[in-house]
C-alpha cells in the first residue's frame, strides 16, 4: 500500500495569495509607532520602511533561487538538509516550532483579540491572577480575556485548516480582497484629509533636537519593519502542494513581495501625514493603542475607528489563517524522517497533516500566554534572521556544489545582492543581542532546546530501525 501524498493543488495565483497572506498582518497597522519612538523623524521612518523592503527583496530573491533548485515541502528545512546537514535542518525546524512560526501565530491572534476587544466589551476573566508572574517576566493571566479570545481563534483556524489546503487558501483569498479594498479606502481618504505636505512627511529632521539617528537606532527600528515584512518565506513550507513548484514558487515570492513593499510605503506615508511624531510616541507608550485606529479617527471620528478596527480584525484573521496553513508542513516533513513526534507524519482523509496542525496550535496557544505583542515579535525577528542568512549563504554553496544543475531562477545581482543580505543579517542579529537582550536570550534558549531534542529523536529513530 502506497504512502498517502500531499495534494499539489496550488497554482501561481494562490501562491501569491499565500505569500501576501503570510506577510500582510498586524505590522501594517501597529509598527510605525515603535519606529517613531526610536527615530523621532518621519523621513527616517519611511527610509527604514524602504530599507526593510529592499533587504526583504534581497532575501526573497536569494531564497527564490534556492527554492527553484530544491523546492519541496518543508521550505528551509528541506533546503538546509541538502545544503548543510540533518542536524542544522532540525535545529531550524525546531526553531520554527518553538519560536518563529508559533510565536508569529500567537502574536497575530493577540492583535486580532485586541481589535475585537476594542469593538466588543469582553467580560473580565481571572482578574485576581493578573499580577501572577513567572520570574517577573511572563504574566500569563494579565489581560486574560484578550488572550482567551486569541486562543479560541487559533483553535478555530487550526480546525478549519484540517479540512484541506484549498479550503484554507480560499479563505485567505476572500479575506485579502476585503483587506486591500479597506486599505485603499484609508489611503485615499487619509491623504485627501492630510494637513501636511509631502515634503514635511519626507523630512529627516528629528523632533528631539538632542537626538541623533545612529546605525543602532536604524537596526532597532527595522525590527518593527521586518516584523511587518515577515512571512514571505512561508510559501516554501508547502512546496509539495504547489503545481510546478520550482517555477511557481520563485515567481510567487517576487510578485508578492513587490506588492507588499508598494502597499506599505503608501500606508505608512498616510499615517505619517495624519499623525505627528509626538502623537505616535504617545501611542507607543500607551501600549494598548493601535496607530491605524488613531490615524483614521483623526479624520473620520468614531465611525472611522470602528471601520479600521473591523479591517484589522479581517487582516489579522487572514494572516493568522495563512500562517497556520503553511507553518505545520515542516514538522510533517521532519516527522516523516523520524525527527519529530511520529504522529505529526500522518495525513487525514483530506490529505492534510492534521496532527502537525494540532501540535502547532497547542504550542501557539501557550505562547499567547507568555508575553506581549512586541516582546513576541522582537524574539521572532532575532531568530528568523539567523536562518535567512543561512539560506542566502546556501546560494553560494549550491553554485559551487551544483554548478550545472538547472536553475529555473537565478538571483539578480549575484554575488553582490546575496552578500549584502548575509552581512545585513549578521548585523541585525548582533544589534538585537545588545538592543533587545531579553528577547534575544529567550529566542536563543528556545532554539537551543533543539540540541537535546535532536539526539532524543535520533535515538528513537535508531531504536525503531
Amino acid at each position: 500500500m502506497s504512502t498517502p501524498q500531499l495534494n499539489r493543488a496550488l497554482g501561481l495565483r494562490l501562491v501569491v495569495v499565500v505569500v501576501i497572506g503570510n506577510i500582510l498582518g498586524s505590522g501594517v497597522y501597529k509598527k510605525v509607532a515603535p519606529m517613531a519612538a526610536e527615530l523621532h523623524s518621519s523621513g527616517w521612518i519611511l527610509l527604514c520602511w524602504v530599507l526593510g523592503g529592499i533587504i526583504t527583496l534581497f532575501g526573497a530573491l536569494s531564497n527564490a533561487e534556492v527554492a527553484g533548485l530544491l523546492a519541496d515541502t518543508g521550505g528551509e528545512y528541506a533546503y538546509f538538509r541538502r545544503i548543510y546537514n540533518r542536524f542544522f535542518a532540525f535545529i531550524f525546524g525546531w526553531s520554527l516550532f518553538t519560536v518563529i512560526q508559533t510565536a508569529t501565530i500567537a502574536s497575530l491572534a493577540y492583535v486580532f483579540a485586541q481589535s475585537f476587544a476594542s469593538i466588543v466589551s469582553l467580560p473580565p476573566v481571572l482578574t485576581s491572577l493578573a499580577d501572577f508572574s513567572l520570574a517577573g517576566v511572563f504574566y500569563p493571566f494579565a489581560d486574560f480575556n484578550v488572550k482567551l479570545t486569541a486562543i479560541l481563534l487559533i483553535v478555530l483556524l487550526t480546525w478549519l485548516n484540517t479540512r484541506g489546503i484549498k479550503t484554507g487558501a480560499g479563505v485567505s483569498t476572500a479575506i485579502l480582497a476585503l483587506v486591500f479594498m479597506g486599505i485603499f479606502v484609508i489611503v485615499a481618504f487619509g491623504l485627501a484629509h492630510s494637513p501636511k505636505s509631502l515634503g514635511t512627511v519626507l523630512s529627516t529632521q528629528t523632533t528631539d533636537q538632542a537626538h541623533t539617528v545612529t546605525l543602532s537606532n536604524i537596526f532597532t527600528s527595522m525590527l518593527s519593519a521586518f516584523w511587518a515584512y515577515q512571512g514571505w518565506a512561508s510559501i516554501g513550507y508547502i512546496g509539495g502542494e504547489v503545481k510546478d513548484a520550482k517555477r511557481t514558487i520563485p515567481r510567487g515570492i517576487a510578485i508578492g513581495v513587490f506588492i507588499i513593499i508598494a502597499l506599505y510605503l503608501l500606508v505608512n506615508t498616510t499615517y505619517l501625514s495624519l499623525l505627528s511624531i509626538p502623537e505616535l510616541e504617545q501611542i507607543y507608550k500607551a501600549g494598548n493603542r493601535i496607530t491605524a485606529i488613531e490615524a483614521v479617527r483623526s479624520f473620520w471620528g468614531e465611525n472611522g475607528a470602528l471601520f479600521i478596527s473591523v479591517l484589522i480584525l479581517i487582516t489579522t484573521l487572514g494572516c493568522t489563517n495563512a500562517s497556520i496553513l503553511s507553518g505545520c508542513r515542516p514538522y510533517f516533513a521532519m516527522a516523516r524522517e523520524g525527527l519529530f513526534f511520529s504522529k505529526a507524519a500522518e495525513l487525514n482523509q483530506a490529505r492534510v497533516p492534521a496532527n502537525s496542525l494540532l501540535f502547532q496550535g497547542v504550542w501557539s496557544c501557550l505562547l499567547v500566554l507568555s508575553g506581549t505583542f512586541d516582546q513576541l515579535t522582537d524574539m521572532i525577528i532575532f531568530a528568523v534572521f539567523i536562518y535567512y542568512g543561512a539560506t542566502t549563504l546556501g546560494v553560494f554553496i549550491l553554485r559551487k556544489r551544483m554548478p550545472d544543475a538547472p536553475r529555473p531562477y537565478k538571483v539578480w545581482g549575484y554575488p553582490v545582492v546575496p552578500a549584502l543580505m548575509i552581512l545585513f543579517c549578521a548585523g541585525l542579529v548582533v544589534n538585537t543581542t545588545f538592543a533587545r537582550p531579553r528577547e534575544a536570550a529567550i529566542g536563543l534558549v528556545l532554539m537551543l532546546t533543539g540540541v537535546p531534542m535532536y539526539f532524543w529523536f535520533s535515538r528513537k529513530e535508531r531504536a525503531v530501525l
Side-chain angles (χ1 to χ4, degrees), residues 109-439:
Y110 192 86
V111 175
F112 173 92
Q114 281 183 315
S115 299
F116 187 75
S118 71
I119 300 171
V120 177
S121 180
L122 297 175
V125 180
L126 298 181
T127 53
S128 60
L129 295 175
D131 294 328
F132 171 79
S133 71
L134 299 174
V137 176
F138 303 118
Y139 291 82
F141 300 108
D143 299 320
F144 192 69
N145 53 353
V146 173
K147 291 178 178 178
L148 184 59
T149 304
I151 289 169
L152 291 174
L153 176 68
I154 293 170
V155 171
L156 174 63
L157 292 179
T158 296
W159 172 82
L160 177 69
N161 278 281
T162 64
R163 314 310 295 171
I165 190 164
K166 288 203 77 171
T167 301
V171 170
S172 290
T173 302
I175 289 171
L176 275 183
L178 292 172
V179 169
F180 270 85
M181 285 190 290
I183 287 177
F184 282 119
V185 166
I186 293 169
V187 170
F189 281 89
L191 292 178
H193 287 80
S194 171
K196 301 179 188 176
S197 66
L198 184 61
T200 302
V201 175
L202 295 177
S203 172
T204 56
Q205 184 175 352
T206 61
T207 55
D208 181 357
Q209 299 300 320
H211 177 79
T212 301
V213 176
T214 65
L215 188 61
S216 179
N217 292 140
I218 292 171
F219 270 107
T220 302
S221 67
M222 286 176 72
L223 287 173
S224 297
F226 283 128
W227 164 249
Y229 285 115
Q230 164 64 6
W232 53 266
S234 298
I235 188 62
Y237 305 158
I238 56 174
E241 293 152 284
V242 175
K243 300 172 186 176
D244 192 15
K246 291 186 177 182
R247 293 185 181 276
T248 304
I249 289 178
R251 290 170 64 196
I253 289 174
I255 293 169
V257 170
F258 269 117
I259 291 171
I260 286 293
I261 290 172
L263 184 69
Y264 281 3
L265 287 176
L266 272 174
V267 173
N268 284 282
T269 299
T270 304
Y271 295 154
L272 291 166
S273 69
L274 293 168
L275 299 172
S276 67
I277 295 298
E279 285 174 319
L280 288 168
E281 291 172 1
Q282 287 302 314
I283 290 169
Y284 175 66
K285 289 175 183 176
N288 59 354
R289 295 166 66 193
I290 296 175
T291 302
I293 294 176
E294 302 306 321
V296 175
R297 182 184 277 126
S298 70
F299 69 85
W300 205 349
E302 292 306 315
N303 289 333
L306 177 61
F307 170 82
I308 191 66
S309 296
V310 172
L311 184 62
I312 293 171
L313 275 180
I314 296 170
T315 308
T316 49
L317 175 67
C319 197
T320 306
N321 178 67
S323 298
I324 289 172
L325 179 152
S326 59
C328 68
R329 268 62 183 182
Y331 324 134
F332 165 78
M334 292 162 66
R336 287 212 157 178
E337 296 180 5
L339 290 179
F340 201 70
F341 305 107
S342 58
K343 284 287 185 182
E346 299 175 3
L347 297 178
N348 66 7
Q349 291 183 340
R351 288 194 284 174
V352 169
N355 289 328
S356 184
L357 278 163
L358 177 62
F359 289 133
Q360 174 183 263
V362 169
W363 185 246
S364 297
C365 290
L366 290 174
L367 288 178
V368 168
L369 300 175
S370 71
T372 65
F373 172 78
D374 288 314
Q375 183 182 32
L376 286 169
T377 58
D378 286 348
M379 187 171 69
I380 293 163
I381 297 305
F382 168 81
V384 79
F385 265 80
I386 294 173
Y387 298 108
Y388 282 169
T391 303
T392 308
L393 181 61
V395 173
F396 292 97
I397 294 172
L398 292 172
R399 289 274 184 117
K400 184 174 182 180
R401 188 184 298 167
M402 304 167 63
D404 300 321
R407 288 171 167 80
Y409 170 80
K410 288 186 176 181
V411 60
W412 171 82
Y414 178 89
V416 175
V417 165
L420 288 174
M421 179 65 183
I422 292 168
L423 289 172
F424 186 87
C425 289
L428 184 136
V429 169
V430 170
N431 185 76
T432 306
T433 302
F434 291 98
R436 297 286 189 270
R438 182 177 66 176
E439 287 75 9

Side-chain angles (χ1 to χ4, degrees), residues 64-73 75 78-83 236 245-246 394 398 402 406 408:
E65 176 171 327
V66 177
L69 188 63
L70 305 177
D72 196 5
T73 290
Y79 312 158
F80 291 153
R81 190 182 60 226
R82 295 278 299 277
I83 298 168
K246 291 186 177 182
L398 292 172
M402 304 167 63

